[in-house]
Amino acid sequence: MCAWQYLVLKMKTDDGQGEAESRRRETGGLHNQRLPVRRNRLSLPINLVSRPTASSLQSTALGRYFTKFAVLRRPVLFTLTLTLLCLLVVSVQARADLTPDQERKIREAAPEKATVSPKQPRRVLIWNTPYMEKSPHKGYTIPQGAFAMKVLGEKTGVFTGVISDDQTLLLPENLKQFDAIVMNNSCGPWTTPTDEAMPRFARFGTDKSKITALLQKSFLNWVRSGHGVVAYHYAIGAGRHWPELNELLGASCGGHPWNEEIGVHVDDPQHPLTAAYGGKDFRITEEVFQYLEPYSRKKLHVLLSIDTSSTDMTVKWLRRTDGDYALAWVKPYGNGRVFYSEFGHRTERWWDPVMLRFYLDAIQFAVGDLDGPIDPE
């Protein structure tokens, strides 16, 4: 009944004639004969309930609601109700937050030691979108990503991570306390103050567009002045609301033709950031974007790309004609350092020790502790 979970509801019916009538209607009235009576039980095979009886159903409001529809013999409306319930269950589970088991897996997978020692104490803003309710990644990857980034700092001691969606931190006097920002799947117009945040910007007036322009200018100037950006997966989606961010990150999102296992080619096996993968090609299962303008290898130093010889290139919606599907890169932005990676959609990626090493090295690269080529190809 829905793609993610299977939900079937069968009512225990003592009235054989009623069941036969319902089944006759379902067959379009082609047969007038009395159909044999079947005795059914309610079955919800998702560990929601364990095979309750019709009498136990009557003891709950939801059960009485379902029973009412069954008794009234409204199969279309009944089916619609069940479909909506199924979607509700999926929605609730999709929003599920970080679990203790996931925390344990992330802590165990995080590196014990950083690649290099920090040149000075580092402070990193782990940025969540303040428009979380509209984010397609709000439950199954953003909490896990934020926790993983903070654990990388805690476990190795090379930076202090601050998880926040407080938009006042984007003001110049507040941004200066950070060496880098991690854009944790932070999509949406996150430089536009939310209604809840507006009172904290009272000294700037009530015009959201002017405050947005102020925060955008503050952020871009902060990066240009020598700070770092680490962005992954759908953080690039914020460029839909802010084209200058696409320029900073190096590309715009052109959709995700793949959500499967792909082959990954290491474009620069000598770069310190690809050391996490041993400088060797590998395979990974992930939702994968294709990147469009302003993407160009003339502007980027590409680290990883899709190996088109070992990836399904018959998927739909491919928009590039040059076969160039980059997955991770670094680039300068003024005096700042920018790292972007495709990886970070699937929940299980956040306890992948290799990816966590890759991202720890990226943070150290962004703050200036880990040296490596950044000039475009």
Side-chain angles (χ1 to χ4, degrees):
M1 187 173 290
C2 63
W4 199 27
Q5 292 180 319
Y6 173 62
L7 184 62
V8 177
L9 188 63
K10 294 180 179 180
M11 298 303 302
K12 181 176 179 181
T13 305
D14 293 323
D15 181 4
Q17 178 62 44
E19 181 181 12
E21 176 64 16
S22 295
R23 294 173 62 192
R24 185 190 67 78
R25 291 176 182 173
E26 291 175 0
T27 58
L30 297 178
H31 305 286
N32 295 321
Q33 68 269 28
R34 184 183 181 93
L35 298 176
V37 176
R38 292 185 305 173
R39 296 178 64 83
N40 300 317
R41 285 193 281 181
L42 177 71
S43 178
L44 288 169
I46 327 174
N47 294 327
L48 296 178
V49 296
S50 56
R51 302 181 68 85
T53 63
S55 59
S56 66
L57 269 179
Q58 292 286 351
S59 66
T60 67
L62 188 61
R64 289 192 296 273
Y65 182 65
F66 285 146
T67 305
K68 176 182 177 181
F69 276 109
V71 172
L72 292 178
R73 312 288 189 237
R74 296 177 180 174
V76 174
L77 191 56
F78 185 48
T79 301
L80 177 60
T81 302
L82 291 178
T83 302
L84 293 174
L85 175 64
C86 181
L87 293 174
L88 177 62
V89 170
V90 170
S91 176
V92 168
Q93 292 202 359
R95 290 198 302 269
D97 284 330
L98 183 70
T99 67
D101 185 56
Q102 291 172 351
E103 289 187 8
R104 177 187 59 79
K105 290 178 179 179
I106 291 169
R107 287 190 184 278
E108 291 177 354
E112 295 283 349
K113 185 178 180 181
T115 300
V116 295
S117 298
K119 298 174 182 178
Q120 61 189 58
R122 301 296 189 182
R123 192 171 174 86
V124 175
L125 175 60
I126 303 167
W127 182 250
N128 288 339
T129 177
Y131 292 91
M132 188 67 75
E133 283 306 308
K134 296 181 180 180
S135 171
H137 301 86
K138 59 188 169 187
Y140 64 90
T141 190
I142 289 179
Q144 293 77 8
F147 181 76
M149 295 299 102
K150 197 167 193 303
V151 165
L152 290 179
E154 292 174 346
K155 196 169 179 180
T156 62
V158 296
F159 69 89
T160 299
V162 177
I163 301 173
S164 184
D165 63 358
D166 181 0
Q167 291 170 298
T168 62
L169 290 178
L170 302 177
L171 292 169
E173 62 269 27
N174 297 328
L175 265 180
K176 66 181 182 181
Q177 66 180 294
F178 299 105
D179 296 283
I181 184 172
V182 173
M183 295 172 59
N184 179 38
N185 266 305
S186 50
C187 63
W190 50 263
T191 54
T192 298
T194 63
D195 292 340
E196 294 76 15
M198 280 300 291
R200 300 197 293 273
F201 292 99
R203 62 189 171 108
F204 301 105
T206 59
D207 188 334
K208 279 191 177 185
S209 64
K210 291 183 178 180
I211 299 172
T212 299
L214 170 68
L215 297 182
Q216 291 177 349
K217 180 180 179 181
S218 170
F219 181 78
L220 297 178
N221 286 342
W222 174 77
V223 180
R224 285 193 195 99
S225 68
H227 296 90
V229 174
V230 171
Y232 43 76
H233 200 60
Y234 202 47
I236 207 164
R240 293 176 52 239
H241 310 276
W242 184 14
E244 290 86 352
L245 186 64
N246 286 336
E247 289 291 341
L248 181 148
L249 294 179
S252 62
C253 179
H256 49 85
W258 297 274
N259 194 350
E260 58 193 76
E261 183 176 288
I262 62 165
V264 179
H265 173 63
V266 177
D267 288 67
D268 185 354
Q270 304 304 317
H271 201 286
L273 294 187
T274 60
Y277 295 100
K280 299 178 180 179
D281 294 357
F282 59 96
R283 301 190 66 77
I284 192 171
T285 301
E286 182 61 294
E287 179 187 85
V288 179
F289 294 129
Q290 61 184 328
Y291 298 100
L292 305 177
E293 295 77 12
Y295 172 82
S296 171
R297 286 186 180 245
K298 295 180 180 179
K299 302 177 182 178
L300 313 172
H301 189 101
V302 176
L303 303 173
L304 307 173
S305 61
I306 289 180
D307 180 358
T308 56
S309 68
S310 61
T311 298
D312 181 7
M313 300 307 293
T314 66
V315 293
K316 297 180 180 180
W317 307 304
L318 292 180
R319 298 169 61 183
R320 298 196 65 86
T321 59
D322 56 5
D324 184 9
Y325 296 94
L327 296 173
W329 57 79
V330 292
K331 67 182 292 288
Y333 189 79
N335 294 321
R337 293 181 167 199
V338 177
F339 165 91
Y340 176 80
S341 168
E342 149 64 37
F343 308 141
H345 173 82
R346 291 183 175 235
T347 309
E348 66 271 19
R349 291 271 68 83
W350 295 112
W351 48 85
D352 174 359
V354 180
M355 192 190 82
L356 292 182
R357 165 64 68 181
F358 185 43
Y359 282 177
L360 175 60
D361 288 344
I363 292 172
Q364 289 207 283
F365 177 84
V367 300
D369 289 333
L370 180 60
D371 293 325
I374 192 172
D375 292 332
E377 300 175 21

